[in-house]
């Protein structure tokens, strides 16, 4: 069993890898940090359907330092999530909708329900860290 410090370090490493990826993408798009100015405009989050985030999510998972089985499982559960909510705006997805669909889809056993729940939690945590 991992200690709490090890889990915290892993979370920080994931965060910094995500941050490094974001900065790399911005630099490749032509952003120059030395010419950046501070804008006082309010940041507007544009809500998009869940399927619009597929490329970003799958590329991050592919490059992440995860085992092959974990990568495969994350992508598989992402596909299942797209089947359920692909055309739904990301801000319109409610926890109760996910729980209801989880209960209906994985009600055959507690193990499959718990596994699915764990992967969906991981997916939504990654979505938050990636800025979705």
């Amino acid at each position: 069993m991992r200690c709490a410090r090890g889990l915290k370090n892993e979370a920080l490493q994931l965060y910094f890898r995500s941050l490094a990826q974001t900065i790399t993408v911005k630099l490749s798009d032509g952003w120059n940090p030395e010419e950046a100015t501070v804008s006082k405009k309010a940041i507007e989050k544009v809500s998009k359907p869940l399927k619009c985030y597929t490329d970003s999510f799958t590329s991050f998972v592919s490059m992440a330092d995860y085992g092959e089985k974990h990568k495969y499982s994350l992508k598989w559960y992402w596909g299942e999530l797209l089947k359920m909510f692909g055309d739904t705006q990301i801000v319109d997805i409610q926890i109760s909708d996910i729980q209801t669909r989880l209960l209906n889809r994985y009600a055959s056993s507690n193990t499959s329900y718990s596994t699915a729940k764990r992967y969906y939690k991981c997916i939504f945590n990654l979505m938050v860290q990636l800025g979705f």
Side-chain angles (χ1 to χ4, degrees):
M1 184 171 194
R2 296 180 186 159
C3 66
R5 182 180 293 158
L7 291 175
K8 185 176 180 181
N9 287 340
E10 287 179 23
L12 283 173
Q13 288 175 355
L14 179 62
Y15 171 76
F16 286 122
R17 272 189 252 131
S18 174
L19 182 62
Q21 180 185 10
T22 303
I23 291 171
T24 303
V25 168
K26 292 284 188 185
L27 288 171
S28 67
D29 288 343
W31 176 67
N32 185 353
E34 294 177 359
E35 295 176 0
T37 59
V38 176
S39 174
K40 296 194 179 200
K41 285 193 317 185
I43 297 174
E44 293 182 30
K45 287 273 187 179
V46 178
S47 179
K48 299 178 190 173
L50 186 64
K51 64 184 177 186
C52 292
Y53 299 100
T54 300
D55 291 337
S56 299
F57 182 82
T58 55
S59 67
F60 177 80
V61 169
S62 296
M63 293 186 312
D65 189 24
Y66 300 144
E68 291 302 315
K69 183 177 178 185
H70 187 62
K71 288 180 183 181
Y72 173 81
S73 296
L74 283 172
K75 290 177 185 177
W76 188 86
Y77 281 103
W78 177 262
E80 291 296 305
L81 195 62
L82 287 178
K83 288 178 190 175
M84 291 186 273
F85 300 106
D87 293 323
T88 307
Q89 298 291 325
I90 198 165
V91 295
D92 294 336
I93 299 172
Q94 300 294 319
I95 293 172
S96 59
D97 296 333
I98 296 168
Q99 288 175 337
T100 302
R101 301 225 182 170
L102 272 173
L103 283 173
N104 291 336
R105 172 78 167 86
Y106 302 101
S108 60
S109 77
N110 288 338
T111 304
S112 62
Y113 176 81
S114 296
T115 302
K117 186 177 171 183
R118 185 176 63 243
Y119 275 106
Y120 286 128
K121 280 183 178 181
C122 183
I123 287 170
F124 283 107
N125 285 336
L126 285 174
M127 289 172 62
V128 169
Q129 289 176 2
L130 292 172
F132 299 170

